[in-house]
Amino acid sequence: MVAASPDAARLAELIAARLAAMRQPLVAAFASARPVRHFVVDDLLPGTHVQAAAAAFPRPQDLLLRTSLRERKRVGVDVDRYAPILRDLVLAFQAPAVVAAVAAITGLEGLEPDPSLYASGLSVMGRGDFLNPHLDNSHDGDQQRYRVLNLLLYVQPLWRPEYGGSLELWSPDRREPLVLPALGNRLVVMQTDRHSWHSVSPVQADLPRLCVSNYYFAERSATGETYRHVTTFAGRPEQTWARLLLKLDAVALNTIGRALPGLVRRTRHRRA
């Protein structure tokens, strides 16, 4: 785990204060949200912080490419190599004050941050990049704790809804999503469970979609159910062949994951 800097601590104070100030409406929003429980905070941080973060993002070619029928995006998982503002942003969400503020909104007990940064980091998506509907891995890298919350901070200050790249939240039948544009300085906190299907619509602009991701875990699942699955993808409603192929893919990966969890414990990346 990388040690948090004084700047990360100050960012954590700003985030925690913003969440605390909005606690009452966010509690109601999270409790009533459908089809996946979530809340949205716009203007999370002073604009200068977000502009600095966007300017400091690594070049896409310096990140790791993940491309398949499931998804196409570039990710950064090595915090030590990030510019200080990006490292501080990731680590700020690990601070106890921020975890406590999120717990007060969601009502989820036993929330723990991700000190190993198992899945936290950066993502960059360009024109044509996408993330098909999927369920996140149910557990952490050691298969001990449930993944219960995704915290997604979008930092491209020029982003507009018509540029695509929107977070989409789906009901289990995956017929029609709730669409949340990836507007700059917007934080989305969404529950992850065995029904929390979500995706990113294809990017339609020659502008990088920039996201800082964090995840929280707990000993019990968000719904209190007991389950285990690897990251599981599905096709969009209009993707007839993709739906079939990804269904077969999901069956195979979950079968392997149950038999040999070490093989699918951590996401594997490759350089372009």
Coordinates of all heavy atoms in Angstrom, one line a residue, residues 25-41 102-111 135-136 147-152 167-172 178 180 187-198 216 218 220-225 227:
P25 N -30.1 14.3 1.6 CA -30.7 14.0 0.3 C -30.1 12.8 -0.3 O -30.7 12.0 -1.1 CB -30.5 15.2 -0.6 CG -29.4 16.0 0.1 CD -29.6 15.7 1.6
L26 N -28.8 12.5 -0.1 CA -28.1 11.4 -0.6 C -28.6 10.1 0.0 O -28.7 9.1 -0.7 CB -26.6 11.5 -0.5 CG -25.9 12.6 -1.3 CD1 -24.4 12.7 -1.0 CD2 -26.2 12.5 -2.8
V27 N -28.9 10.1 1.3 CA -29.5 8.9 1.9 C -30.8 8.5 1.2 O -31.0 7.3 0.9 CB -29.7 9.2 3.4 CG1 -30.6 8.1 4.0 CG2 -28.4 9.3 4.2
A28 N -31.6 9.5 1.0 CA -32.9 9.2 0.3 C -32.7 8.7 -1.1 O -33.4 7.8 -1.6 CB -33.8 10.5 0.4
A29 N -31.7 9.4 -1.8 CA -31.5 9.0 -3.2 C -31.0 7.6 -3.3 O -31.4 6.8 -4.1 CB -30.5 10.0 -3.8
F30 N -30.0 7.2 -2.4 CA -29.5 5.9 -2.5 C -30.5 4.8 -2.1 O -30.6 3.8 -2.8 CB -28.3 5.8 -1.5 CG -27.6 4.4 -1.6 CD1 -26.6 4.2 -2.6 CD2 -27.8 3.4 -0.6 CE1 -25.9 3.0 -2.6 CE2 -27.1 2.2 -0.7 CZ -26.2 2.0 -1.7
A31 N -31.3 5.1 -1.1 CA -32.3 4.1 -0.7 C -33.4 3.8 -1.7 O -33.9 2.7 -1.9 CB -33.0 4.6 0.6
S32 N -33.7 4.9 -2.5 CA -34.8 4.7 -3.5 C -34.3 4.5 -4.9 O -35.1 4.3 -5.8 CB -35.7 6.0 -3.5 OG -34.9 7.1 -3.9
A33 N -33.0 4.5 -5.2 CA -32.5 4.4 -6.5 C -32.8 3.0 -7.1 O -32.7 2.0 -6.5 CB -31.0 4.6 -6.5
R34 N -33.1 3.1 -8.4 CA -33.4 1.9 -9.2 C -32.7 2.1 -10.6 O -32.6 3.2 -11.0 CB -34.9 1.6 -9.4 CG -35.6 1.4 -8.0 CD -35.3 0.0 -7.4 NE -36.1 -0.2 -6.2 CZ -35.8 0.3 -5.0 NH1 -34.7 1.0 -4.8 NH2 -36.5 0.0 -3.9
P35 N -32.3 1.0 -11.3 CA -32.4 -0.4 -10.9 C -31.3 -0.9 -10.0 O -31.3 -2.0 -9.6 CB -32.4 -1.1 -12.3 CG -31.5 -0.1 -13.1 CD -31.8 1.2 -12.6
V36 N -30.3 -0.1 -9.8 CA -29.2 -0.4 -8.9 C -29.1 0.7 -7.9 O -29.1 1.9 -8.3 CB -27.8 -0.5 -9.7 CG1 -26.7 -0.7 -8.8 CG2 -27.9 -1.6 -10.8
R37 N -28.9 0.4 -6.7 CA -28.8 1.5 -5.7 C -27.5 2.3 -5.9 O -26.4 1.7 -6.1 CB -28.8 0.9 -4.3 CG -30.1 0.2 -3.9 CD -30.4 0.4 -2.4 NE -29.4 -0.3 -1.5 CZ -29.4 -0.3 -0.2 NH1 -30.4 0.4 0.4 NH2 -28.5 -1.0 0.5
H38 N -27.7 3.6 -5.9 CA -26.5 4.5 -6.2 C -26.9 5.9 -5.8 O -28.0 6.2 -5.5 CB -26.2 4.5 -7.7 CG -27.3 5.1 -8.5 ND1 -28.4 4.5 -8.9 CD2 -27.3 6.4 -9.0 CE1 -29.2 5.4 -9.6 NE2 -28.5 6.5 -9.7
F39 N -25.8 6.7 -5.7 CA -26.1 8.2 -5.5 C -25.0 8.9 -6.4 O -24.0 8.4 -6.7 CB -26.1 8.6 -4.1 CG -24.7 8.5 -3.4 CD1 -23.8 9.5 -3.5 CD2 -24.5 7.4 -2.5 CE1 -22.6 9.4 -2.8 CE2 -23.3 7.4 -1.8 CZ -22.3 8.3 -1.9
V40 N -25.4 10.1 -6.7 CA -24.5 11.0 -7.6 C -24.2 12.3 -6.9 O -25.1 12.9 -6.3 CB -25.2 11.3 -8.9 CG1 -24.4 12.2 -9.8 CG2 -25.6 9.9 -9.6
V41 N -23.0 12.7 -6.9 CA -22.6 14.0 -6.4 C -21.9 14.8 -7.5 O -20.8 14.4 -8.0 CB -21.7 13.9 -5.2 CG1 -21.2 15.3 -4.7 CG2 -22.3 13.1 -4.1
V102 N -19.3 7.8 3.4 CA -20.1 6.9 2.5 C -20.9 5.9 3.3 O -22.1 5.7 2.9 CB -19.1 6.2 1.6 CG1 -19.8 5.2 0.7 CG2 -18.4 7.2 0.7
A103 N -20.4 5.4 4.3 CA -21.2 4.4 5.1 C -22.4 5.1 5.7 O -23.5 4.5 5.8 CB -20.3 3.9 6.3
A104 N -22.3 6.4 6.1 CA -23.5 7.1 6.7 C -24.5 7.3 5.7 O -25.7 7.4 6.0 CB -23.0 8.4 7.3
I105 N -24.2 7.4 4.4 CA -25.1 7.6 3.3 C -25.8 6.3 2.9 O -27.0 6.2 2.8 CB -24.5 8.3 2.1 CG1 -24.0 9.7 2.5 CG2 -25.4 8.3 0.9 CD1 -23.1 10.3 1.5
T106 N -25.0 5.3 2.7 CA -25.5 4.0 2.2 C -26.1 3.1 3.3 O -26.9 2.2 3.0 CB -24.4 3.2 1.5 OG1 -23.4 2.9 2.5 CG2 -23.7 4.0 0.4
G107 N -25.7 3.3 4.5 CA -26.2 2.4 5.6 C -25.6 1.1 5.6 O -26.0 0.2 6.4
L108 N -24.6 0.9 4.8 CA -23.9 -0.4 4.7 C -22.9 -0.5 5.9 O -22.1 0.4 6.1 CB -23.2 -0.6 3.4 CG -24.1 -0.7 2.2 CD1 -23.3 -0.7 0.9 CD2 -25.0 -1.9 2.2
E109 N -22.9 -1.6 6.6 CA -22.1 -1.8 7.7 C -20.8 -2.5 7.4 O -20.7 -3.3 6.5 CB -22.8 -2.6 8.8 CG -24.1 -2.0 9.3 CD -24.8 -2.8 10.3 OE1 -24.4 -3.9 10.6 OE2 -25.8 -2.3 10.9
G110 N -19.7 -2.2 8.2 CA -18.5 -2.9 8.0 C -17.7 -2.6 6.7 O -16.9 -3.4 6.3
L111 N -18.0 -1.4 6.2 CA -17.2 -1.0 5.0 C -15.7 -0.9 5.2 O -15.3 -0.3 6.2 CB -17.7 0.4 4.5 CG -19.1 0.4 3.8 CD1 -19.3 1.8 3.3 CD2 -19.2 -0.6 2.7
L135 N -21.4 -7.8 -14.3 CA -21.4 -7.9 -12.9 C -19.9 -7.9 -12.5 O -19.1 -8.7 -13.0 CB -22.1 -9.1 -12.3 CG -23.6 -9.2 -12.6 CD1 -24.0 -10.6 -12.1 CD2 -24.3 -8.1 -11.9
D136 N -19.5 -7.1 -11.5 CA -18.1 -7.1 -11.1 C -17.9 -8.4 -10.3 O -18.8 -9.0 -9.7 CB -17.8 -5.9 -10.2 CG -17.7 -4.6 -10.9 OD1 -17.4 -4.7 -12.1 OD2 -18.0 -3.6 -10.4
R147 N -17.2 -7.4 -2.6 CA -17.1 -6.1 -3.1 C -18.5 -5.5 -3.0 O -19.5 -6.1 -3.5 CB -16.7 -6.1 -4.6 CG -16.4 -4.7 -5.2 CD -16.3 -4.7 -6.7 NE -15.4 -5.7 -7.2 CZ -14.5 -5.4 -8.1 NH1 -14.3 -4.2 -8.6 NH2 -13.7 -6.3 -8.6
V148 N -18.7 -4.4 -2.3 CA -20.0 -3.9 -2.1 C -20.3 -2.5 -2.7 O -21.5 -2.1 -2.9 CB -20.3 -3.8 -0.6 CG1 -20.4 -5.2 0.0 CG2 -19.3 -3.0 0.2
L149 N -19.3 -1.7 -3.0 CA -19.5 -0.4 -3.6 C -18.4 -0.1 -4.6 O -17.2 -0.4 -4.4 CB -19.4 0.7 -2.5 CG -20.6 0.8 -1.5 CD1 -20.3 1.9 -0.5 CD2 -21.9 1.1 -2.2
N150 N -18.8 0.5 -5.7 CA -17.9 1.1 -6.6 C -18.0 2.7 -6.5 O -19.1 3.2 -6.4 CB -18.3 0.8 -8.1 CG -18.0 -0.6 -8.5 OD1 -17.5 -1.4 -7.6 ND2 -18.3 -1.0 -9.7
L151 N -16.9 3.3 -6.5 CA -16.8 4.8 -6.4 C -16.1 5.3 -7.6 O -14.9 5.0 -7.8 CB -16.1 5.2 -5.1 CG -16.7 4.8 -3.8 CD1 -16.1 3.5 -3.3 CD2 -16.6 5.8 -2.7
L152 N -16.8 6.0 -8.5 CA -16.3 6.4 -9.8 C -16.3 7.9 -9.9 O -17.4 8.5 -9.8 CB -17.2 5.8 -10.9 CG -17.4 4.3 -10.8 CD1 -18.5 3.8 -11.8 CD2 -16.1 3.5 -11.0
L167 N -22.2 5.9 -17.9 CA -22.4 4.8 -17.0 C -23.9 4.4 -17.2 O -24.8 5.2 -17.1 CB -22.2 5.1 -15.6 CG -22.5 4.1 -14.6 CD1 -21.5 2.9 -14.7 CD2 -22.3 4.6 -13.1
E168 N -24.1 3.1 -17.4 CA -25.5 2.6 -17.6 C -25.8 1.6 -16.5 O -25.0 0.6 -16.3 CB -25.6 1.9 -19.0 CG -25.3 2.9 -20.1 CD -25.2 2.2 -21.5 OE1 -24.5 1.1 -21.5 OE2 -25.8 2.6 -22.5
L169 N -26.9 1.7 -15.8 CA -27.3 0.8 -14.8 C -28.5 0.0 -15.3 O -29.5 0.6 -15.7 CB -27.6 1.6 -13.5 CG -26.5 2.5 -13.0 CD1 -26.9 3.2 -11.7 CD2 -25.2 1.7 -12.7
W170 N -28.5 -1.3 -15.2 CA -29.5 -2.2 -15.8 C -30.2 -3.0 -14.8 O -29.6 -3.4 -13.8 CB -28.8 -3.2 -16.8 CG -28.0 -2.6 -17.9 CD1 -26.8 -2.0 -17.8 CD2 -28.4 -2.4 -19.3 NE1 -26.4 -1.6 -19.1 CE2 -27.4 -1.8 -20.0 CE3 -29.6 -2.8 -19.9 CZ2 -27.4 -1.6 -21.3 CZ3 -29.7 -2.5 -21.3 CH2 -28.6 -1.9 -22.0
S171 N -31.5 -3.2 -15.0 CA -32.2 -4.2 -14.3 C -31.7 -5.6 -14.7 O -31.1 -5.8 -15.8 CB -33.7 -4.1 -14.5 OG -34.0 -4.2 -15.9
P172 N -32.0 -6.7 -14.0 CA -31.5 -8.0 -14.3 C -31.9 -8.5 -15.7 O -31.2 -9.2 -16.3 CB -32.1 -8.9 -13.2 CG -32.2 -8.0 -12.0 CD -32.6 -6.7 -12.6
L178 N -30.7 2.8 -17.0 CA -30.6 4.2 -16.5 C -29.3 4.7 -16.9 O -28.2 4.1 -16.7 CB -30.8 4.2 -15.0 CG -30.6 5.6 -14.3 CD1 -31.7 6.5 -14.7 CD2 -30.4 5.4 -12.8
L180 N -26.3 7.6 -16.9 CA -25.6 8.6 -16.1 C -24.4 9.1 -16.8 O -23.4 8.4 -16.9 CB -25.2 8.1 -14.7 CG -26.3 7.5 -13.8 CD1 -25.7 6.8 -12.6 CD2 -27.3 8.6 -13.4
L187 N -19.1 12.4 -9.1 CA -18.9 11.1 -8.3 C -20.1 10.3 -8.4 O -21.2 10.8 -8.0 CB -18.5 11.4 -6.9 CG -18.4 10.2 -6.0 CD1 -17.2 9.3 -6.4 CD2 -18.3 10.6 -4.5
V188 N -20.0 9.0 -8.8 CA -21.1 8.1 -8.7 C -20.6 7.0 -7.8 O -19.6 6.4 -8.0 CB -21.4 7.5 -10.1 CG1 -22.5 6.4 -10.0 CG2 -21.9 8.6 -11.1
V189 N -21.5 6.7 -6.8 CA -21.2 5.6 -5.9 C -22.4 4.6 -6.1 O -23.5 5.0 -5.9 CB -21.2 6.1 -4.4 CG1 -21.0 4.9 -3.5 CG2 -20.0 7.1 -4.2
M190 N -22.0 3.4 -6.5 CA -23.1 2.4 -6.8 C -22.8 1.1 -6.0 O -21.7 0.7 -5.8 CB -23.1 2.1 -8.3 CG -21.8 1.6 -8.9 SD -22.0 0.8 -10.5 CE -22.8 -0.7 -10.1
Q191 N -23.9 0.5 -5.6 CA -23.8 -0.8 -4.9 C -23.4 -1.9 -5.9 O -23.9 -1.9 -7.0 CB -25.1 -1.1 -4.2 CG -25.2 -2.4 -3.5 CD -26.4 -2.5 -2.6 OE1 -26.7 -1.7 -1.7 NE2 -27.3 -3.5 -3.0
T192 N -22.6 -2.8 -5.5 CA -22.4 -4.0 -6.3 C -22.9 -5.2 -5.6 O -22.6 -5.4 -4.4 CB -20.9 -4.1 -6.6 OG1 -20.1 -4.2 -5.4 CG2 -20.4 -2.9 -7.4
D193 N -23.6 -6.0 -6.3 CA -24.2 -7.2 -5.7 C -24.4 -8.2 -6.9 O -23.9 -8.0 -8.0 CB -25.5 -7.0 -4.9 CG -26.5 -6.2 -5.7 OD1 -26.8 -6.6 -6.8 OD2 -27.0 -5.2 -5.2
R194 N -25.2 -9.2 -6.6 CA -25.4 -10.3 -7.7 C -26.3 -9.8 -8.8 O -26.5 -10.5 -9.8 CB -25.9 -11.6 -7.0 CG -27.2 -11.5 -6.4 CD -27.5 -12.7 -5.6 NE -27.5 -13.9 -6.5 CZ -27.8 -15.2 -6.1 NH1 -28.2 -15.3 -4.8 NH2 -27.7 -16.2 -6.9
H195 N -26.9 -8.6 -8.6 CA -27.9 -8.1 -9.6 C -27.5 -6.7 -10.2 O -28.2 -6.2 -11.0 CB -29.3 -8.0 -9.0 CG -29.8 -9.3 -8.5 ND1 -30.0 -10.4 -9.2 CD2 -30.1 -9.6 -7.2 CE1 -30.5 -11.4 -8.5 NE2 -30.5 -10.9 -7.2
S196 N -26.3 -6.2 -9.8 CA -25.9 -4.8 -10.2 C -25.3 -4.8 -11.6 O -24.1 -4.4 -11.7 CB -25.0 -4.2 -9.1 OG -23.9 -5.0 -8.9
W197 N -26.0 -5.1 -12.6 CA -25.5 -5.0 -13.9 C -25.2 -3.5 -14.3 O -26.1 -2.7 -14.1 CB -26.5 -5.6 -14.9 CG -26.6 -7.1 -14.8 CD1 -27.5 -7.8 -14.0 CD2 -25.8 -8.1 -15.5 NE1 -27.3 -9.1 -14.2 CE2 -26.3 -9.3 -15.0 CE3 -24.8 -8.0 -16.4 CZ2 -25.7 -10.5 -15.5 CZ3 -24.2 -9.2 -16.8 CH2 -24.7 -10.4 -16.4
H198 N -24.1 -3.3 -14.9 CA -23.7 -1.9 -15.3 C -22.8 -2.0 -16.5 O -22.2 -3.0 -16.8 CB -23.1 -1.1 -14.2 CG -21.9 -1.8 -13.6 ND1 -21.9 -2.9 -12.8 CD2 -20.6 -1.4 -13.6 CE1 -20.7 -3.2 -12.4 NE2 -19.9 -2.3 -12.9
Y216 N -15.0 -0.4 -2.3 CA -15.1 -0.8 -0.9 C -15.6 -2.2 -0.8 O -16.4 -2.7 -1.6 CB -16.0 0.2 -0.2 CG -15.5 1.6 0.0 CD1 -16.4 2.6 0.5 CD2 -14.2 2.0 -0.3 CE1 -16.0 3.9 0.6 CE2 -13.8 3.3 -0.2 CZ -14.7 4.2 0.3 OH -14.3 5.5 0.4
A218 N -16.6 -5.6 2.2 CA -17.2 -5.9 3.5 C -17.2 -7.4 3.7 O -17.2 -8.1 2.7 CB -18.6 -5.3 3.7
R220 N -19.8 -9.0 4.8 CA -21.1 -9.5 4.3 C -21.4 -8.8 3.0 O -21.0 -7.6 2.8 CB -22.2 -9.2 5.3 CG -22.1 -9.9 6.6 CD -23.2 -9.5 7.6 NE -24.5 -10.0 7.2 CZ -25.5 -9.2 6.7 NH1 -25.3 -7.9 6.6 NH2 -26.6 -9.7 6.4
S221 N -22.2 -9.4 2.1 CA -22.6 -8.8 0.9 C -23.5 -7.6 1.2 O -24.1 -7.6 2.2 CB -23.2 -9.8 -0.1 OG -24.5 -10.2 0.4
A222 N -23.7 -6.7 0.2 CA -24.6 -5.6 0.4 C -26.0 -6.0 0.6 O -26.8 -5.3 1.3 CB -24.5 -4.7 -0.8
T223 N -26.4 -7.1 0.1 CA -27.8 -7.6 0.2 C -28.0 -8.7 1.3 O -29.1 -9.1 1.6 CB -28.3 -8.2 -1.1 OG1 -27.5 -9.4 -1.4 CG2 -28.2 -7.2 -2.2
G224 N -26.9 -9.1 2.0 CA -26.9 -10.1 3.0 C -26.9 -11.5 2.4 O -26.9 -12.5 3.2
E225 N -26.9 -11.6 1.1 CA -26.9 -13.0 0.5 C -25.5 -13.5 0.4 O -24.5 -12.8 0.5 CB -27.5 -12.9 -1.0 CG -28.9 -12.3 -1.1 CD -29.3 -12.1 -2.5 OE1 -28.9 -11.0 -3.0 OE2 -29.9 -12.9 -3.1
Y227 N -23.0 -15.5 -2.0 CA -22.8 -15.9 -3.4 C -21.3 -15.7 -3.8 O -20.6 -15.1 -3.0 CB -23.7 -15.0 -4.3 CG -23.5 -13.5 -4.2 CD1 -22.5 -12.8 -4.9 CD2 -24.3 -12.8 -3.3 CE1 -22.4 -11.5 -4.8 CE2 -24.1 -11.4 -3.1 CZ -23.2 -10.8 -3.9 OH -23.0 -9.4 -3.7

